[in-house]
Amino acid sequence: MKVLVIGGGAREHALCRSLSLDPDVTALHCAPGNAGIAEVAELHPVDQLDGAAVAALATRLGADLVVVGPEAPLVAGVADAVRAAGIPAFGPSREAAELEGSKAFAKDVMAGAGVPTARSYVCTTPEEIDEALDAFGAPYVVKDDGLAAGKGVVVTEDVEQARAHALACDRVVIEEYLDGPEVSLFAITDGTTVLPLQPAQDFKRALDGDQGPNTGGMGAYSPLPWADPRLVEEVLATVLQPTVDELRRRGTPFSGLLYAGLAITGRGVRVIEFNARFGDPETQVVLARLRTPLAGVLLRAADGTLADQPPLRWSDEAAVTVVVASHNYPGTPRTGDPVEGLAEVAEKDAPHAYVLHAGTRRDGDAVVSAGGRVLSVTATGSDLTEARERAYAAVGRIRLDGSQHRTDIAEKAAKDARG
């Protein structure tokens, strides 16, 4: 099988790493990729948002499967263009990807499917914004209706900060605050059959102790030793399957990766948000534990035969990812700084720990930073404590001027699991 992955972040590096280990994959391509992906896949330049260009590249390469990683190409209809060229694509249509592209659309689908979520208002005027903020009170949850690369949400006790964020958006969803721990649950679907993966938890705030601004994610871990063993079963029955059924009923079937961001509240599971693709950095830890070869599962989702997929096999090990971000992230990041220590990690920490590249590029013989989140250092271990130790040992070998990372990824879960 020849596979083309679209994207150039750590999520795509994780996907390419898993696909490169799949014996059925005979050729692996990525466009545009990054410095790390180049070690496992052949890179090609492409405008990720240009469906015709992506379809032409897939045709030229003779791809048997195209995997669209990021949300923006999906919302732009890139998967549709690939399918129109007669090539199976893993990723929802433009219409179905509105589940992530518009928070208001997602709320409407959840209402139709009877999926439990936070009460909310969709606001377009200053008057509506003030009414909604008054109705819910603090803490205020304000979400840009459109795509914002994981940084469109503000959760704050400060009404003026909440109002300022809301006024900066064309259309905004203001909703009640959901208490309780958050869980990310991915499911692969062909539009009918829904195959849930193992749950993970990510860390959105920039600083230790969940302080600082929201980011695209500073780390993640899996499994969740504190979660109810029946959680996946419950979410499949009450959230994932009803959502897929509702989208099919509306004539916009969703095939690809459905990501449910969940809050485990005192009143039960509630959906915080849906995404239409693998989440970053949760993908890094979920795929680290997946033992079933990946390509065949994605192809079955793309060609509508997921019901034939045998049960997925999972490692009993734990996985932890720590994101190394550039100076000033999530503000305007500093780029072009050399990244050192990567060979040291490969030599001393493999196979238990490895580096997945996010915002990197080659500059001659050097790897330099090229984005806000630069690397995802991922490690596995017999439990979360061992996985954490291995991840942070590897992080300690990496040198990137002005870089930042959280030191408490999976710390509480590891302590609680030890009792």
Side-chain angles (χ1 to χ4, degrees), residues 53-352:
V54 171
L57 174 63
T59 302
R60 181 166 63 77
L61 295 173
D64 301 300
L65 174 67
V66 175
V67 179
V68 184
E71 59 273 26
L74 291 168
V75 172
V78 167
D80 303 276
V82 172
R83 280 190 279 267
I87 300 168
F90 181 81
S93 67
R94 181 187 60 76
E95 286 183 308
E98 277 298 290
L99 200 63
E100 177 169 4
S102 167
K103 303 285 189 297
F105 175 73
K107 288 289 188 184
D108 189 56
V109 170
M110 283 188 263
V115 167
T117 185
R119 292 178 301 120
S120 63
Y121 294 106
V122 180
C123 306
T124 54
T125 68
E127 293 74 26
E128 289 173 346
I129 287 166
D130 287 341
E131 280 178 32
L133 292 173
D134 287 346
F136 288 128
Y140 303 97
V141 181
V142 183
K143 299 180 176 181
D144 190 334
D145 180 52
L147 292 181
K151 297 190 281 286
V153 180
V154 164
V155 181
T156 178
E157 299 278 346
D158 182 342
V159 70
E160 291 307 323
Q161 186 187 356
R163 183 180 285 113
H165 182 64
L167 290 170
C169 304
D170 288 335
R171 187 158 82 145
V172 70
V173 175
I174 296 174
E175 63 183 39
E176 68 175 325
Y177 176 76
L178 297 174
D179 63 328
E182 294 185 14
V183 173
S184 298
L185 186 60
F186 301 160
I188 292 170
T189 178
D190 60 4
T192 303
T193 300
V194 182
L195 188 65
L197 305 186
Q198 290 286 306
Q201 186 175 60
D202 81 329
F203 295 77
K204 286 279 185 248
R205 299 285 188 168
L207 307 175
D208 283 6
D210 289 329
Q211 301 297 306
N214 257 349
T215 71
M218 294 299 289
Y221 70 94
S222 179
L224 311 181
W226 50 267
D228 186 322
R230 294 161 306 183
L231 176 66
V232 173
E233 205 179 305
E234 181 193 340
V235 175
L236 175 61
T238 62
V239 174
L240 299 170
Q241 191 71 57
T243 300
V244 168
D245 292 346
E246 172 68 11
L247 285 162
R248 192 175 66 251
R249 187 188 69 74
R250 290 173 175 229
T252 52
F254 186 107
S255 76
L257 196 290
L258 177 59
Y259 163 128
L262 309 163
I264 314 301
T265 76
R267 295 171 292 141
V269 174
R270 297 287 184 273
V271 175
I272 300 168
E273 65 174 352
F274 282 128
N275 290 337
R277 38 75 198 182
F278 280 102
D280 181 346
E282 300 97 320
T283 301
Q284 289 86 303
V285 291
V286 172
L287 292 185
R289 299 184 57 229
L290 180 65
R291 288 290 163 264
T292 301
L294 184 61
V297 186
L298 302 186
L299 183 60
R300 283 193 176 103
D303 68 14
T305 58
L306 198 58
D308 301 334
Q309 173 65 41
L312 298 178
R313 300 193 318 276
W314 295 93
S315 163
D316 291 331
E317 287 196 315
V320 171
T321 283
V322 179
V323 170
V324 177
S326 56
H327 177 73
N328 199 40
Y329 179 75
T332 305
R334 193 172 82 201
T335 59
D337 289 313
V339 181
E340 297 174 325
L342 297 171
E344 219 176 306
V345 174
E347 183 189 331
K348 296 181 176 170
D349 300 293
H352 302 297

Side-chain angles (χ1 to χ4, degrees), residues 328-384:
N328 199 40
Y329 179 75
T332 305
R334 193 172 82 201
T335 59
D337 289 313
V339 181
E340 297 174 325
L342 297 171
E344 219 176 306
V345 174
E347 183 189 331
K348 296 181 176 170
D349 300 293
H352 302 297
Y354 49 88
V355 177
L356 297 169
H357 291 233
T360 67
R361 63 178 174 81
R362 281 254 165 221
D363 184 5
D365 292 336
V367 172
V368 299
S369 61
R373 291 186 294 176
V374 181
L375 305 168
S376 281
V377 180
T378 303
T380 55
S382 58
D383 57 16
L384 285 174

